[in-house]
Amino acid sequence: MGNLPLQARAADMPLKRAALMPLWSPQAQFAGYYVALEKGLYAQHGIDLKILKSGPGCSPVQALAEGKADFAVLWLSTALLHRADGKKLVNLAQMNQRSSLMLISKKTAGIHTIEDMNGRKVGLWEGDVSIPLRTLFAKHRITVREVRQSHTVNLFLRGGIDVSSAMWFNEYHTILNAGIDPAELNTVFLSDEGVNFLEDGIYAFEETLRRDPALAGAFVAASLEGWRYAFDHPDEALDIVIRSMREAQLPANRMHQKWMLDRMRDLMLPEGAKTVLGQLREQDYAAVARAMQKDGSIKDYPDYAAFTWSADAAKK
Amino acid sequence: MPRKNSIVTRLVSVIVFFSVVIFAAALGYNYERSRAMLQQELESNARSLALSLVNRVEIQLKAVSKVAEGVARALETGNYSEEALHALLRTTVENNPEVYGASISFEPFAFSPKTRLYAPYYYRKNGKIAYDRLERSYQQVPYLFWDWYQIPRELGSPEWSEPYYDEGAGNVLMTTYSAPFYREANGSQRLRGIVSADIALDALTDLIASVKILKTGYTAVLSRNGMILAHPLKDAIMNETFFSIAEARNDPALRSLGQKMIRGESGFVHYTSLVGITSWMYYAPIPSAGWTLAVVFPEAELLENIGKLSMTMAAIGLVGIVLLMLAVVLIARAIIGPLQSLTEATGRIASGNFDALLPKVNSHDEVGQLTRDFQAMQTSLKAYIKNLTETTAAKERIQSELKVATQIQASLLPRLFPPFPDHSEFDIYASMVPAKEVGGDFYDFFFVDEKNLCFLIADVSDKGVPAALYMMVAKTLLKTEGQRLGEPDKILFSVNNILAADNENCMFTTVFCAILDITTGEVRFANAGHNPPLIADARGVRYLAPKPGLMLGALADTVFVTERLTLDQDGILFLYTDGVTEAKSSEERLYGEERLLKALQSAPRQPVADMIRYISADVAGHVHGASQSDDITMLAVKMAKKKPAQPEQ
């Protein structure tokens, strides 16, 4: 961590070591954390943060369980699933206020409604991220031919599947930048279909919070600051994200990352919505939990108060 | 320096202006035509270059795909033991240098019921053939879910993969040809696995990059997703698609161009290249992989030669125009120079210097002709002016002489009034106004003896100097003969004979000659063809009717008759010449005898000088400024009182 600012090193207290595992490899989806790190915000909050490598084959929950990571970016549905599985995950902050998960088909496939997907080849990602989609299909009582979808969109582009899972901020744009025009696509946003499974949130084990609530509070505060800074300085944020991607030897496309950052802003600070950055609203939580319970993904779910944690509440 | 309005300046500016316009138009046209021709030529060159490159890439791709197909078909037809399988794969990689690596990847449990996944992989590593097992080497995602496996599996057809970084196995940027192989089971074809053959992207892009296109032109390759695979912009390779660049540039036209390219179309377009240079691009599909190859020619470089040619032409044109300008100046100077010196010379001539030298003429052109004409004109003018000067001098001399003559003539006539102050018996007054400097009229009066006053009026038949000379002779003769003979008929007879004797010039004179006896008022008179005089006395004013008589000088020995009348007291005899009665108004009306009579009736009679002045004024009023054509002469004698008769001696 050679990029810590000088003032942080000169602080009175020694920095507390902590590790974050994002849901995926570096990209603008996690711009706030990389920006907070790069701008020394974590250090200012007394944290010597390490952002762990993530991506295909990496499980943030597992990293938390193994103690490799103190904090992780998880989807609400994932967290609930693992919570039901006995893992005491707690939501420290909710980033996305709206699901960005979507289903995309080519107009030529003639799929206009979710019912049209019945029996069609639908690309689903491996793991928890497909929970909201399965919930959607269950809700519409359709059976799709599941095809495991890799992290490329080529299977969809070549016609190997009829419907592709996509994140609005990522795959959708990748498809557009493979020369497909929006007009050539039919899209379904899960948030429009009553399956508004909120995605990225900051999670930690209860154990971690109990051990050092101040660290958790500082981490959330620094992360939110990082996000605000990223949205206020998008060009600088993109520079930081792209540098992180290059360090991870990942292909980096600035326009794609710009799209992603812009969409993250839309998701985290929806225009007109009465939401607070980082807050998990109880009704949103309840809606996801109930939907998952209904489709049988989970048997039970914790109270909103037990599931969420905030630094202010912890002090009381 | 020529003046702003000089012919040279105008000539030069007009010619230069039109030359520049014509030349610029020609140059522009030439540039545009050359450009269009170059573009046509470029298109065909670009097409053949692109197609030859496509062909070279295709050969490589085909070779690799054939290898994979060959292995797949071998697996379908033969039963291979594990060792044989490995041998087949290894020799395949060994014997096909274009193949980077090859695998035989089985469907779950297809290789053996005991083994779920089985995928031997032979590939090149540091110049040797290396061996790996894909089910182990791919850490996170099983080979089943890699594009190179999954897509042909789902599509059921061989497929070239989108280029990818084969992390874990080949560990290079590659593209993979995947050929599914099947096993006949229960009457239907069941997928058994995928034979993959990789080609390292570097090998392909090096092949393409080795083709130099002009100095800054280049070749680019796009994948079927529009991903940039080969491009001088190294950072864009595998990072940017044609569409992300279009998005960054906010250029929908570039996006639609990219869509045409990945759709397998070919074309020749003028566009702003991804490196931001206006270029020409020919693009053509690489059919087997669904890629696009583009050959890019920077326009600036293409137009460089045309530009250079145009610059050279412009330089030649510029020099040409300067030379033309000089030529025009020289020609114009050659024409204008003589004209200018001619203008200066004629200016001096115009200001009166007729001796001003005209420029020398060497040419036979219009200016030379003009100069020669001016020279001729100058000579003629000089001769004319000289002649005129002489004539004027002569005229002036004559005029001064005439003036003297007039004075002499005037002095010959008695001018002093009253002429005889000691004679109160009569009053006499006369005046003569000559029409020219010297007149032909004259009058005279003189005493013949103590009591006889001779008075006469005459009109020589001509005017001017000859008349004046004749008049002198006549006057002298009349006075001499008058004093000698003392009777009017004798005087006239004698003078006539003298004049007629030697009258070669055929000049004549009318004379009215009278002698007044101042004591009695008796007047003896004889007339030689002169106008009848008027008498004004108590009985009124009337014309006398003398015998007409012949004018003097016409015929010798003419006899004249003396007639008599008596002037009463205050009786006036008024003599005049025809200059009075024939005085013409501006409307050519004559004064006439009637008017003279009337004028005399109303004229004052005392003294007779006033009477004559009155008549003069009346005549002048009639004439009213018209030029005088004849001498106007009048003489009036008034009898005052009878001189007491002197006692007879």
Side-chain angles (χ1 to χ4, degrees):
Chain A
M1 288 280 133
N3 52 359
L4 281 179
L6 288 171
Q7 76 265 22
R9 288 184 183 166
D12 298 341
M13 293 210 304
L15 297 182
K16 290 177 190 167
R17 287 172 162 275
L20 165 73
M21 185 178 256
L23 202 53
W24 197 250
S25 44
Q27 55 184 356
Q29 183 185 0
F30 313 109
Y33 314 110
Y34 289 99
V35 167
L37 182 61
E38 179 82 15
K39 302 301 289 182
L41 301 177
Y42 288 120
Q44 278 175 26
H45 285 83
I47 307 170
D48 173 7
L49 187 80
K50 185 178 168 67
I51 299 179
L52 301 174
K53 180 184 185 291
S54 188
C58 295
S59 165
V61 177
Q62 202 179 334
L64 287 178
E66 289 169 4
K68 285 178 188 163
D70 304 291
F71 306 101
V73 177
L74 298 175
W75 288 13
L76 178 55
S77 49
T78 310
L80 281 171
L81 196 71
H82 288 278
R83 180 107 183 190
D85 203 25
K87 296 194 175 80
K88 296 276 186 184
L89 286 166
V90 175
N91 180 295
L92 307 186
Q94 180 58 40
M95 293 308 167
N96 289 14
Q97 299 298 330
R98 158 167 111 71
S99 168
S100 73
L101 199 58
M102 62 196 293
L103 288 166
I104 300 174
S105 63
K106 290 178 187 162
K107 282 221 165 115
T108 50
I111 296 168
H112 304 290
T113 65
I114 294 160
E115 279 71 24
D116 290 341
M117 294 177 193
N118 196 23
R120 304 297 287 265
K121 283 162 97 174
V122 177
L124 295 177
W125 290 298
E126 172 77 352
D128 309 334
V129 290
S130 291
I131 295 168
L133 296 167
R134 293 202 173 90
T135 306
L136 178 72
F137 299 141
K139 189 179 168 191
H140 286 266
R141 294 195 178 84
I142 60 165
T143 312
V144 300
R145 285 172 60 197
E146 286 185 21
V147 176
R148 178 166 163 183
Q149 182 173 321
S150 72
H151 55 276
T152 75
V153 292
N154 294 326
L155 185 61
F156 170 71
L157 291 174
R158 296 293 97 80
I161 48 177
D162 300 312
V163 181
S164 176
S165 305
M167 304 303 289
W168 181 36
F169 57 76
N170 192 1
E171 285 80 6
Y172 177 63
H173 188 253
T174 305
I175 289 168
L176 297 187
N177 269 354
I180 312 279
D181 288 336
E184 296 176 73
L185 299 171
N186 282 328
T187 57
V188 173
F189 278 95
L190 268 65
S191 60
D192 295 339
E193 298 298 326
V195 188
N196 188 25
F197 281 28
L198 303 184
E199 289 127 15
D200 303 11
I202 300 173
Y203 290 86
F205 277 126
E206 265 182 5
E207 164 76 23
T208 314
L209 296 174
R210 219 176 6 253
R211 200 168 57 228
D212 194 347
L215 175 68
F219 176 78
V220 170
S223 299
L224 294 181
E225 261 181 56
W227 275 112
R228 286 194 196 94
Y229 189 90
F231 292 145
D232 290 344
H233 307 88
D235 282 330
E236 193 183 349
L238 288 176
D239 289 342
I240 292 168
V241 167
I242 286 165
R243 204 178 310 136
S244 305
M245 293 175 78
R246 292 255 158 82
E247 280 166 15
Q249 293 183 321
L250 293 166
N253 180 310
R254 192 177 180 91
M255 286 318 290
H256 187 58
Q257 296 306 318
K258 183 178 185 303
W259 167 275
M260 196 179 281
L261 185 63
D262 290 345
R263 297 297 79 75
M264 290 312 289
R265 188 193 181 97
D266 294 341
L267 295 167
M268 291 166 68
L269 297 166
E271 248 177 81
K274 287 174 186 163
T275 53
V276 179
L277 180 66
Q279 191 190 52
L280 174 61
R281 296 193 303 172
E282 191 165 358
Q283 66 262 43
D284 292 339
Y285 168 73
V288 175
R290 271 202 298 274
M292 285 180 74
Q293 192 182 36
K294 196 178 168 193
D295 73 11
S297 307
I298 52 174
K299 285 197 183 92
D300 204 359
Y301 58 90
D303 283 349
Y304 171 72
F307 185 72
T308 57
W309 178 93
S310 75
D312 300 342
K315 276 172 195 161
K316 286 168 197 166
Chain B
M1 201 61 207
R3 292 184 313 277
K4 196 184 165 200
N5 288 323
S6 83
I7 294 176
V8 180
T9 314
R10 266 156 49 202
L11 211 57
V12 168
S13 49
V14 167
I15 289 176
V16 167
F17 174 74
F18 281 102
S19 307
V20 167
V21 167
I22 291 166
F23 182 73
L27 194 64
Y29 178 76
N30 177 65
Y31 184 84
E32 280 309 315
R33 283 302 303 157
S34 308
R35 202 182 133 125
M37 279 158 63
L38 191 78
Q39 188 185 325
Q40 282 178 346
E41 197 183 336
L42 176 70
E43 182 171 0
S44 78
N45 284 350
R47 184 189 294 115
S48 45
L49 178 61
L51 293 183
S52 88
L53 278 170
V54 163
N55 199 36
R56 284 163 77 172
V57 176
E58 277 282 284
I59 287 169
Q60 296 259 324
L61 294 175
K62 285 242 171 72
V64 173
S65 66
K66 270 185 187 152
V67 167
E69 292 288 350
V71 173
R73 298 294 84 76
L75 291 173
E76 281 175 352
T77 49
N79 260 324
Y80 285 83
S81 66
E82 191 171 356
E83 288 75 31
L85 202 70
H86 281 256
L88 170 68
L89 203 55
R90 188 187 173 93
T91 50
T92 299
V93 175
E94 269 176 350
N95 296 339
N96 295 285
E98 60 276 4
V99 173
Y100 175 79
S103 83
I104 302 169
S105 307
F106 286 89
E107 281 282 276
F109 305 109
F111 176 68
S112 123
K114 294 171 199 161
T115 324
R116 193 174 98 87
L117 299 177
Y118 185 72
Y121 178 57
Y122 283 89
Y123 64 107
R124 296 172 198 283
K125 191 177 179 185
N126 305 324
K128 286 176 186 163
I129 305 297
Y131 167 67
D132 210 340
R133 290 279 286 279
L134 295 181
E135 73 269 23
R136 295 176 200 148
S137 55
Y138 287 140
Q139 294 290 315
Q140 278 99 23
V141 179
Y143 66 78
L144 292 176
F145 306 110
W146 283 71
D147 282 345
W148 63 263
Y149 191 95
Q150 200 178 18
I151 293 171
R153 183 186 185 278
E154 294 300 326
L155 294 178
S157 59
E159 186 80 5
W160 275 102
S161 78
E162 191 64 17
Y164 64 104
Y165 186 76
D166 191 38
E167 192 180 359
N171 290 311
V172 294
L173 209 54
M174 59 168 63
T175 181
T176 301
Y177 183 81
S178 309
F181 60 98
Y182 302 88
R183 162 167 289 175
E184 186 103 10
N186 306 326
S188 69
Q189 294 268 335
R190 270 190 67 183
L191 181 75
R192 206 171 160 227
I194 302 284
V195 175
S196 73
D198 308 324
I199 183 164
L201 208 60
D202 284 353
L204 278 182
T205 52
D206 287 352
L207 174 78
I208 288 159
S210 68
V211 179
K212 283 270 169 253
I213 296 169
L214 305 178
K215 270 182 252 164
T216 53
Y218 58 88
T219 310
V221 179
L222 302 184
S223 80
R224 64 171 82 176
N225 284 2
M227 182 63 77
I228 291 166
L229 305 182
H231 200 279
L233 219 59
K234 294 291 174 207
D235 275 354
I237 293 173
M238 290 306 289
N239 279 337
E240 298 279 357
T241 70
F242 206 81
F243 307 102
S244 67
I245 290 167
E247 187 188 3
R249 281 207 210 150
N250 197 13
D251 184 353
L254 196 66
R255 182 176 170 90
S256 33
L257 174 63
Q259 286 170 330
K260 282 183 187 169
M261 291 168 84
I262 62 167
R263 260 185 237 136
E265 293 179 17
S266 54
F268 184 63
V269 291
H270 187 239
Y271 81 126
T272 305
S273 74
L274 302 192
V275 287
I277 292 166
T278 306
S279 307
W280 287 100
M281 172 174 76
Y282 186 85
Y283 59 92
I286 300 172
S288 50
W291 296 350
T292 306
L293 184 136
V295 188
V296 179
F297 300 83
E299 187 176 43
E301 199 179 326
L302 287 172
L303 297 182
E304 196 178 71
N305 284 334
I306 300 182
K308 274 184 190 162
L309 183 67
S310 295
M311 288 311 289
T312 312
M313 283 174 69
I316 291 171
L318 196 70
V319 171
I321 287 168
V322 169
L323 288 178
L324 184 68
M325 203 163 82
L326 287 176
V328 172
V329 169
L330 285 177
I331 291 173
R333 283 259 172 87
I335 294 169
I336 301 304
L339 264 183
Q340 273 177 340
S341 20
L342 188 61
T343 308
E344 283 166 24
T346 49
R348 285 198 296 276
I349 293 171
S351 65
N353 180 6
F354 290 96
D355 293 323
L357 276 179
L358 284 171
K360 279 188 180 166
V361 189
N362 298 321
S363 62
H364 296 280
D365 57 10
E366 288 82 349
V367 178
Q369 190 57 47
L370 188 63
T371 311
R372 274 192 290 276
D373 289 349
F374 262 107
Q375 274 170 348
M377 192 177 83
Q378 190 186 24
T379 313
S380 307
L381 266 177
K382 269 163 80 176
Y384 177 74
I385 296 284
K386 189 176 172 229
N387 191 17
L388 189 65
T389 312
E390 284 166 1
T391 310
T392 309
K395 192 185 168 192
E396 276 172 1
R397 199 179 62 239
I398 288 168
Q399 266 177 341
S400 72
E401 283 169 3
L402 267 178
K403 203 172 276 176
V404 174
T406 309
Q407 284 168 359
I408 292 170
Q409 193 185 29
S411 68
L412 284 175
L413 301 181
R415 301 230 130 193
L416 199 63
F417 294 100
F420 312 111
D422 50 343
H423 285 278
S424 56
E425 307 91 330
F426 65 94
D427 186 10
I428 189 163
Y429 188 81
S431 85
M432 188 196 73
V433 180
K436 298 191 174 165
E437 280 83 356
V438 281
D441 285 10
F442 65 93
Y443 62 86
D444 206 357
F445 46 85
F446 50 86
F447 276 99
V448 178
D449 52 36
E450 277 181 0
K451 61 173 190 169
N452 287 302
L453 176 73
C454 180
F455 59 94
L456 58 92
I457 191 163
D459 182 359
V460 179
S461 64
D462 205 346
K463 293 176 195 72
V465 175
L469 291 171
Y470 194 81
M471 161 255 185
M472 299 269 284
V473 174
K475 182 183 174 285
T476 310
L477 282 172
L478 281 167
K479 186 165 187 177
T480 320
E481 290 302 296
Q483 282 178 329
R484 190 172 66 89
L485 299 170
E487 283 303 324
D489 56 341
K490 288 175 188 166
I491 296 167
L492 293 181
F493 180 78
S494 170
V495 172
N496 178 53
N497 281 348
I498 296 166
L499 290 175
D502 202 14
N503 191 7
E504 286 164 4
N505 288 322
C506 283
M507 297 188 73
F508 316 104
T509 181
T510 62
V511 180
F512 184 90
C513 180
I515 292 173
L516 169 69
D517 184 341
I518 59 170
T519 56
T520 60
E522 185 195 43
V523 179
R524 290 158 289 153
F525 60 91
N527 188 17
H530 199 79
N531 300 50
L534 288 114
I535 188 160
D537 55 15
R539 287 183 288 163
V541 181
R542 63 194 178 277
Y543 280 97
L544 281 182
K547 291 194 166 68
L550 201 62
M551 42 190 170
L552 301 187
L555 195 64
D557 295 329
T558 305
V559 176
F560 297 91
V561 181
T562 297
E563 293 174 81
R564 287 167 198 274
L565 66 85
T566 303
L567 281 177
D568 302 332
Q569 191 170 340
D570 291 337
I572 296 169
L573 196 60
F574 180 81
L575 311 184
Y576 64 94
T577 58
D578 56 5
V580 176
T581 51
E582 287 169 16
K584 279 180 192 166
S585 73
S586 50
E587 294 94 33
E588 298 281 311
R589 266 190 307 109
L590 297 180
Y591 185 71
E593 288 166 1
E594 282 299 307
R595 182 156 176 183
L596 180 60
L597 184 70
K598 279 179 188 160
L600 271 178
Q601 280 169 349
S602 52
R605 295 187 183 176
Q606 183 69 30
V608 285
D610 284 354
M611 183 186 190
I612 295 225
R613 283 188 202 109
Y614 179 85
I615 301 298
S616 281
D618 197 50
V619 171
H622 173 76
V623 168
H624 196 70
S627 72
Q628 188 185 339
S629 60
D630 204 354
D631 303 342
I632 295 173
T633 309
M634 290 176 279
L635 187 149
V637 177
K638 180 183 171 189
M639 196 59 206
K641 59 174 184 182
K642 287 184 177 123
K643 196 174 177 177
Q646 288 194 345
E648 294 280 335
Q649 283 186 332

